[in-house]
Amino acid sequence: MSAVAATTGTSGATACGKTSGELRHVAIIMDGNGRWAKKRFLPRIAGHRKGIEAVRAVSRGAREQGIDVLTLYAFSSENWRRPAEEISDLMGLLRHFIQTDIDELDESNVRLRVIGDHNAFAPDLVALIDAAVERTSTNSGSTLVIGLNYGSQDEIVRAARKLAGRDPATIDAAALEAELDTGDLPPVDLLIRTSGEQRLSNFMLWQAAYAELLFVDTLWPDFGKAALAEAVATYNLRERRFGGL
Ligand code: IPE
Ligand code: IPE
Ligand code: MG
């Protein structure tokens, strides 16, 4: 293992052997639902509802483009700060999405995964999510990861707790990475945030160490297959160096 790979763990080891053209993992901060609704004088829930259509379109588009892993940030560990009514609307939409879309995902050979501490959700929703994850766990076509009550800092703290008590000499980047919710998933190659905001909002801080970042002005409900294809085209023009030359 090279010195770089040794210090950066498996992300580095994987990344070092890659060329700019390979795109295995796309992660998206789906932002702008509220502003999409506001522009139309609609309640925020209308934007979230339209956002689910974008989720469908983009996950289909990712499959068509042969992207192995698509991660979507749906509810952050900070989103509990929103009004109770909006949180409850979001939970309702999540419940509905899983119920209506699980068949298509399963039939499309998609493995559904969740990152974040979704056990904080209502017990029936936790059971629904767990059943969907379990049902698709042996699918091998592609992976759809949904961030639910996800925050990178919380994820890293939970990983650190799992490592506590181990011989410090055995704790390296690869060991910590293995305990993250993304465990066996490849590092993020392309991280997209919609709606014009240019921040990470506690998303994939570890996994995006060498990701290409793309901030687009499009509001999430207006993002679709074409916008994803455009993002991939932009990615393909980027030169990734991973610290080398
Ligand atoms: C993203 O849209 C969806 C979630 C965070 C759940 P927002 O709800 O953040 O929309 P804006 O940022 O208010 O427009
Ligand atoms: C980030 O969007 C979280 C999700 C997309 C789930 P937010 O709209 O919550 O982020 P901030 O508050 O503007 O940083
Ligand atoms: Mg927002």
Side-chain angles (χ1 to χ4, degrees):
M1 193 187 263
S2 71
V4 170
T7 54
T8 59
T10 51
S11 291
T14 313
C16 287
K18 289 182 65 191
T19 62
S20 59
E22 280 181 70
L23 177 52
R24 287 199 294 163
H25 189 169
V26 175
I28 309 183
I29 303 173
M30 310 183 286
D31 199 11
N33 293 352
R35 277 162 284 168
W36 183 94
K38 194 172 180 201
K39 269 171 63 180
R40 290 163 179 77
F41 305 101
L42 294 169
R44 291 178 59 84
I45 173 88
H48 294 313
R49 216 176 273 131
K50 189 78 180 164
I52 301 269
E53 285 176 35
V55 166
R56 285 191 188 107
V58 169
S59 68
R60 285 180 193 136
R63 293 204 285 282
E64 285 165 17
Q65 302 230 15
I67 293 164
D68 290 339
V69 182
L70 174 68
T71 298
L72 301 176
Y73 200 12
F75 192 88
S76 78
S77 52
E78 287 70 38
N79 286 145
W80 297 109
R81 293 179 186 149
R82 296 193 178 198
E85 193 191 341
E86 174 156 348
I87 293 173
S88 143
D89 285 345
L90 286 168
M91 297 297 153
L93 283 176
L94 175 63
R95 187 178 278 114
H96 186 250
F97 171 74
I98 294 174
Q99 284 166 340
T100 54
D101 284 59
I102 190 62
D103 287 344
E104 177 185 329
L105 292 174
D106 197 17
E107 280 153 24
S108 305
N109 202 16
V110 175
R111 182 172 64 131
L112 182 70
R113 282 271 298 265
V114 167
I115 55 171
D117 189 8
H118 74 287
N119 288 310
F121 291 177
D124 71 305
L125 186 51
V126 172
L128 187 70
I129 293 165
D130 290 347
V133 168
E134 173 58 29
R135 173 173 162 188
T136 60
S137 62
T138 57
N139 288 349
S140 55
S142 62
T143 302
L144 175 63
V145 185
I146 306 190
L148 296 176
N149 189 23
Y150 176 85
S152 272
Q153 293 179 343
D154 172 65
E155 178 190 37
I156 293 169
V157 167
R158 286 187 285 108
R161 283 192 191 128
K162 290 181 211 152
L163 293 174
R166 267 209 217 169
D167 174 1
T170 68
I171 301 176
D172 57 8
L176 195 142
E177 196 167 74
E179 299 301 341
L180 296 176
D181 297 347
T182 45
D184 54 334
L185 299 173
V188 175
D189 296 307
L190 172 63
L191 191 154
I192 303 167
R193 183 172 189 143
T194 59
S195 88
E197 306 296 350
Q198 301 193 4
R199 56 177 169 263
L200 295 178
S201 300
N202 203 10
F203 184 56
M204 299 290 221
L205 301 183
W206 176 287
Q207 298 87 339
Y210 263 101
E212 293 299 320
L213 307 181
L214 182 63
F215 299 102
V216 297
D217 288 335
T218 314
L219 301 174
W220 175 251
D222 292 325
F223 201 87
K225 277 188 191 180
L228 178 69
E230 208 176 300
V232 170
T234 301
Y235 170 86
N236 285 332
L237 294 172
R238 302 270 182 98
E239 187 193 341
R240 303 183 75 187
R241 298 207 188 97
F242 303 106
L245 293 179

